[in-house]
Amino acid sequence: MAEFDPGSLPDLLPLYYRRIFPFGPYGRWLLYGDVSKNYFQRREFSFTLHDDIYVRYQSFNTPQELEKEIQKTCPYKIDIGAVYSHRPIQHNTVHMGAFQAQEKELVFDIDMTDYDDVRQCCRSAEICSKCWTLMTLAIRIIDRALVEDFGIKHRLWVYSGRRGVHCWVCDDSVRKWSTTLRSAAVEYLTLVKGGEETIKKVILSDPIHPFIRESLNVVEEHFEEYALVGQDILGNKESYDKVLALVPEHILWVRKTLQKEFCKKRNSIQRWEFLKNKTEKSSKVQWEIMLQYCFPRLDINVSKGINHLLKSPFSVHPKTGRISVPIDLQKLDSFDPFAVPTISQLCHELDKTGNDRGDKEQNEGDLESPHRNRDCKKTSLVPYVKVFERFLEEMDRSQKEESPKSSDVQMDF
């Protein structure tokens, strides 16, 4: 496998955007079947260029025009924004207050750094196979709620390329949600509250909401292997004192008993069993600990703001070189962030085919050129593009079934 060197990006990006980036399905996605007049033309794109030059309010008449601009500027990062009332590139010519964000996918951003207070294995931007379980749990919990509680159909989950995941909710009715509706949705999905100074971040009240019960079912399935074995959260005094600090003040005697007896137990599993026995009459104590250590931690501001930008699928992470690839929910447990191809790996795979016909032969012309499709298929990006194409096919099928009737997602918070 070709090692990634961040300094090589200026040389690799032109090849990636010219011959590998899946512009065909990408354009189909953002067109949404020409759902309304000038829908694509009113979409904001932003590019982060070499030397951290940040260019906002880019907009294009067609996906082909977007493709040409990306190939010309070779952005280090592509962000996707809202669909505005006017073309974003003309925002300076519009009367103040008239330029408004009107629609955007409901998006979720889950970053591993937000779990630093409960991770034993890694810190900051570092991740490993042990703590990646947190992302798997987050996807399972949020995705179940989106489908079963909100009635949402079209969710695209994407690996960020480094230490987290993004979700794009693409249902027609959801893209029209107001900031108020988005805020209500993310509040419904938020349980872990408080900053670094807050010790106890999960407080449950009676009766336990069905969403929390469903989430606990997911967490309980993975808790022993992830938290007790992998993270060893009760493995030593420093670790278990953090857990015991979550035992409520009104049963302080339980905390003192646990502190006294924990040192006599051999490992995290034995200590957790003892804790469960001692808190049997107050099972919320166990649940609050489990949820604080395992429940999804969403970036609320990313989700509630219609005009908030989010990194595009198939963008390259400039530090790791990994591609932001769609995640196959049917194979979620086997998804490995370290197996995601880097841009250098993809270019090396293409180079090995010995089939570089040059720019003119391959790229003057049509968005869906057979040369481009063959080039992408020569690389390990193929399975991820297939996941993306399946997602688009499901959206197309749903659109045909629902047309001409309109459907609204019912919400019950």
Side-chain angles (χ1 to χ4, degrees):
M1 184 186 293
E3 290 294 321
F4 173 70
D5 170 17
S8 65
L9 263 184
D11 299 322
L12 298 174
L13 284 169
L15 183 60
Y16 176 68
Y17 288 133
R18 200 174 71 237
R19 297 182 58 192
I20 302 171
F21 190 98
F23 282 109
Y26 187 78
R28 265 178 61 208
W29 171 41
L30 294 171
L31 276 171
Y32 284 107
D34 292 321
V35 66
S36 64
K37 187 179 179 183
N38 298 329
Y39 195 80
F40 183 85
Q41 291 91 326
R42 292 184 284 119
R43 170 80 73 170
E44 180 190 2
F45 296 88
S46 84
F47 300 152
T48 304
L49 307 177
H50 187 51
D51 292 331
D52 285 332
I53 297 168
Y54 189 51
V55 187
R56 273 201 72 174
Y57 300 115
Q58 301 297 292
S59 59
F60 306 92
N61 290 318
T62 63
Q64 289 88 341
E65 193 177 291
L66 168 65
E67 175 185 2
K68 286 180 181 176
E69 186 62 22
I70 288 175
Q71 290 175 345
K72 176 184 169 186
T73 58
C74 291
Y76 277 44
K77 184 160 80 93
I78 303 166
D79 288 297
I80 300 174
V83 175
Y84 282 83
S85 53
H86 300 75
R87 298 186 185 198
I89 204 162
Q90 299 170 340
H91 73 283
N92 284 327
T93 67
V94 178
H95 278 297
M96 192 177 295
F99 182 68
Q100 297 289 332
Q102 292 184 329
E103 288 189 25
K104 197 189 72 176
E105 298 79 4
L106 173 64
V107 294
F108 298 100
D109 181 6
I110 308 172
D111 194 309
M112 195 74 84
T113 55
D114 292 326
Y115 294 83
D116 277 359
D117 62 314
V118 292
R119 286 196 294 166
Q120 307 286 340
C121 52
C122 304
R123 284 289 177 272
S124 190
E126 296 174 352
I127 63 166
C128 69
S129 58
K130 288 181 181 178
C131 56
W132 187 257
T133 302
L134 288 167
M135 294 296 110
T136 304
L137 289 171
I139 294 173
R140 288 216 180 282
I141 289 169
I142 300 299
D143 196 70
R144 188 216 60 80
L146 292 175
V147 174
E148 297 180 18
D149 301 355
F150 290 87
I152 282 165
K153 292 182 179 178
H154 307 298
R155 305 95 52 217
L156 180 67
W157 285 94
V158 180
Y159 170 49
S160 71
R162 192 176 198 184
R163 59 176 185 258
V165 294
H166 302 150
C167 179
W168 299 76
V169 177
C170 301
D171 295 45
D172 283 350
S173 54
V174 177
R175 298 201 309 271
K176 296 177 173 66
W177 277 8
S178 64
T179 299
T180 304
L181 277 178
R182 291 165 195 262
S183 298
V186 75
E187 181 64 29
Y188 176 93
L189 296 167
T190 298
L191 195 58
V192 181
K193 298 179 180 180
E196 289 180 15
E197 70 289 343
T198 306
I199 294 172
K200 189 172 176 61
K201 295 183 169 75
V202 176
I203 300 173
L204 300 179
S205 57
D206 287 321
I208 302 297
H209 193 282
F211 165 60
I212 296 173
R213 288 200 177 276
E214 291 286 353
S215 301
L216 275 165
N217 290 338
V218 177
V219 171
E220 283 174 338
E221 191 180 329
H222 295 82
F223 188 75
E224 180 175 318
E225 184 181 349
Y226 163 69
L228 303 180
V229 178
Q231 295 295 322
D232 201 17
I233 65 169
L234 299 172
N236 56 54
K237 190 175 186 306
E238 183 184 354
S239 298
Y240 66 62
D241 278 347
K242 281 177 66 178
V243 174
L244 293 179
L246 305 179
V247 176
E249 291 289 333
H250 71 274
I251 52 170
L252 199 58
W253 64 271
V254 173
R255 188 191 298 179
K256 289 178 178 177
T257 303
L258 293 171
Q259 282 173 327
K260 182 180 177 183
E261 295 297 321
F262 267 13
C263 60
K264 301 175 185 177
K265 305 298 177 186
R266 287 193 309 171
N267 54 41
S268 285
I269 293 175
Q270 287 188 358
R271 289 177 183 127
W272 182 251
E273 285 302 315
F274 186 74
L275 183 149
K276 284 202 296 184
N277 290 335
K278 286 297 174 185
T279 58
E280 194 173 4
K281 292 180 181 177
S282 181
S283 52
K284 277 198 299 184
V285 174
Q286 305 162 32
W287 297 342
E288 287 171 346
I289 292 168
M290 293 167 73
L291 292 168
Q292 178 147 336
Y293 273 78
C294 300
F295 193 82
R297 301 185 176 199
L298 303 175
D299 187 328
I300 293 173
N301 292 324
V302 171
S303 298
K304 71 181 185 183
I306 300 176
N307 61 349
H308 205 291
L309 294 147
L310 188 64
K311 183 181 182 182
S312 168
F314 298 104
S315 216
V316 181
H317 195 290
K319 296 278 175 57
T320 65
R322 297 199 187 281
I323 312 299
S324 287
V325 293
I327 296 171
D328 186 350
L329 295 185
Q330 295 173 359
K331 301 175 181 177
L332 179 58
D333 288 332
S334 61
F335 179 82
D336 179 3
F338 299 104
V340 170
T342 63
I343 184 172
S344 47
Q345 178 186 338
L346 294 174
C347 292
H348 178 68
E349 288 167 357
L350 204 56
D351 207 32
K352 276 204 322 186
T353 65
N355 196 28
D356 190 344
R357 294 184 174 88
D359 293 6
K360 288 187 179 179
E361 184 178 341
Q362 296 204 51
N363 295 294
E364 284 179 3
D366 166 66
L367 192 66
E368 300 272 14
S369 85
H371 286 310
R372 176 190 311 289
N373 291 339
R374 283 205 300 268
D375 281 346
C376 186
K377 287 174 183 175
K378 293 169 188 169
T379 73
S380 51
L381 196 63
V382 169
Y384 305 102
V385 175
K386 284 183 178 175
V387 172
F388 188 45
E389 288 174 334
R390 270 204 315 271
F391 166 76
L392 295 177
E393 286 162 10
E394 286 166 10
M395 276 213 305
D396 289 344
R397 192 160 47 246
S398 180
Q399 232 169 12
K400 287 171 186 172
E401 287 170 1
E402 291 177 8
S403 183
K405 68 178 181 178
S406 61
S407 64
D408 293 320
V409 172
Q410 298 298 315
M411 295 171 48
D412 182 16
F413 295 113

